[in-house]
Amino acid sequence: MMSAFFAAALALQAAVPQPKFDSGRAWEHLRQLVAIGPRPSGSSAIEQTRKYIKEKLAAEGLVVVEQAWDDRTPIDTVHMVNLSVTIPGVHKDRIVIAGHYDTKLTREFRFVGASDGGSSAAFLLELARVLKGRKNPLTIELLFLDGEEARLPDWHGTDNTYGSRHYVDLAKRDASLTTLKALVLIDMIGDRDLNMRRDTNSTPWLSELIWREAARQGRDDDFIAESTKIEDDHLPFLAAGVPAVDIIDLDYEAWHTAEDTLDAVSARSLQAVGDVVLGALPKIESRLTR
């Protein structure tokens, strides 16, 4: 049974008008990130990206924590930094909402990653503004992951998900993993023709709550019923026993091409995901506080 403590928190949340996701604000973040240019891990451009993210979060009154380390990749040693902000809730148990902010390292063409790396970072920045003004039954951590992309051209082995693996390893060591109750991963949500399938690696009940909310909002064309199997930053969390879901559109012609620019993405898609995630969040919280 849900405790009266959490029931009261959820009831208060339902009674008070909640802040709304503003895709116009998210789009401006996306525009600014893309303007920086290619942002692969270890580059001066990703340092500029971090500066932008930290400044925008600080402007919202949020304290940014940096998790920095040097990681060995197949081609070099790279300095990487995860960024996070914690928005307190009634309870210290946490829901982490995460996305990566690095872009794929390419030498053949200029890759600015509007959807792949840009959309998730822009989404999290706008979500921070929304959630800081919300009555949160559980603590919410927004996590900007570095090093999701492979350094070599192809994704294989451990040449990927550097940031999420590092985060989970540290959480195991300092025992903070015990308060992490669910992960919602956001990745590549900018596609003008949004077409997200259920990931079969994701925790079924989390996927069900999100896709059910999408259907309730009439967004079946964005969150479709078909399924696929995704390897992404949620896998280290799943391996550590944390329920996790990946919200991602891999049906994206511009993926890892020079065409992944602002012309290929839309604010409407950011709004769709923002509305669905915020609509599903009370259901996720209710499930976790039973």
Side-chain angles (χ1 to χ4, degrees):
M1 293 291 291
M2 183 186 299
S3 70
F5 186 63
F6 285 116
L10 288 169
L12 178 61
Q13 178 196 93
V16 176
Q18 300 297 306
K20 303 293 186 183
F21 189 92
D22 183 344
S23 59
R25 291 173 180 266
W27 180 262
E28 179 57 21
H29 291 312
L30 180 53
R31 191 186 69 79
Q32 295 281 355
L33 293 170
V34 169
I36 294 171
R39 307 173 299 282
S41 296
S43 66
S44 59
I46 201 170
E47 179 58 37
Q48 187 179 345
T49 304
R50 280 194 285 274
K51 183 174 183 290
Y52 178 85
I53 291 171
K54 289 187 290 186
E55 286 177 351
K56 295 305 176 183
L57 292 171
E60 296 294 342
L62 297 169
V63 178
V64 179
V65 174
E66 294 192 20
Q67 188 180 83
W69 76 104
D70 294 330
D71 219 319
R72 183 66 189 167
T73 82
I75 60 174
D76 52 7
T77 296
V78 182
H79 184 69
M80 300 186 187
V81 184
N82 292 332
L83 303 173
S84 67
V85 294
T86 298
I87 302 171
V90 173
H91 198 274
K92 68 178 181 178
D93 283 348
R94 292 174 294 139
I95 297 172
V96 171
I97 305 176
H100 75 96
Y101 70 99
D102 61 310
T103 57
K104 177 73 176 168
L105 175 66
T106 59
R107 295 182 174 87
E108 296 78 15
F109 55 86
R110 187 172 186 268
F111 181 68
V112 298
S115 189
D116 195 4
S119 66
S120 50
F123 178 89
L124 290 176
L125 283 170
E126 169 57 9
L127 202 64
R129 183 193 67 84
V130 175
L131 293 179
K132 73 162 192 174
R134 179 178 180 269
K135 302 298 182 182
N136 300 302
L138 298 176
T139 295
I140 296 178
E141 181 180 348
L142 299 178
L143 176 61
F144 297 76
L145 292 163
D146 200 350
E148 186 268 350
E149 298 285 5
R151 298 290 282 178
L152 293 174
D154 297 323
W155 175 292
H156 70 280
T158 58
D159 181 29
N160 52 69
T161 63
Y162 293 95
S164 53
R165 288 186 289 112
H166 183 77
Y167 180 92
V168 170
D169 286 345
L170 283 186
K172 288 177 180 177
R173 277 184 270 167
D174 67 14
S176 62
L177 194 69
T178 60
T179 64
L180 206 174
K181 300 307 178 183
L183 169 80
V184 177
L185 179 64
I186 306 296
D187 193 1
M188 292 178 61
I189 57 166
D191 189 356
R192 282 184 176 274
D193 182 20
L194 202 59
N195 197 13
M196 292 182 294
R197 293 169 171 81
R198 294 192 192 209
D199 164 45
T200 57
N201 278 328
S202 294
T203 303
W205 69 261
L206 265 174
S207 293
E208 177 62 23
L209 288 180
I210 289 167
W211 262 255
R212 189 186 303 161
E213 175 62 20
R216 189 191 70 80
Q217 293 185 17
R219 298 191 184 275
D220 307 77
D221 290 341
D222 299 324
F223 290 74
I224 65 176
E226 296 174 16
S227 61
T228 188
K229 191 173 186 178
I230 305 293
E231 294 183 11
D232 204 348
D233 274 320
H234 61 319
L235 295 187
F237 291 86
L238 288 165
V242 178
V245 61
D246 192 7
I247 301 175
I248 183 172
D249 179 4
L250 272 179
D251 186 15
Y252 181 55
E253 290 184 3
W255 182 44
H256 287 179
T257 74
E259 283 69 52
D260 187 6
T261 65
L262 287 179
D263 290 338
V265 297
S266 78
R268 188 207 71 83
S269 296
L270 300 176
Q271 188 70 54
V273 178
D275 289 345
V276 169
V277 169
L278 287 171
L281 190 54
K283 286 86 169 176
I284 296 170
E285 291 164 330
S286 179
R287 165 80 181 232
L288 293 173
T289 54
R290 285 175 185 169

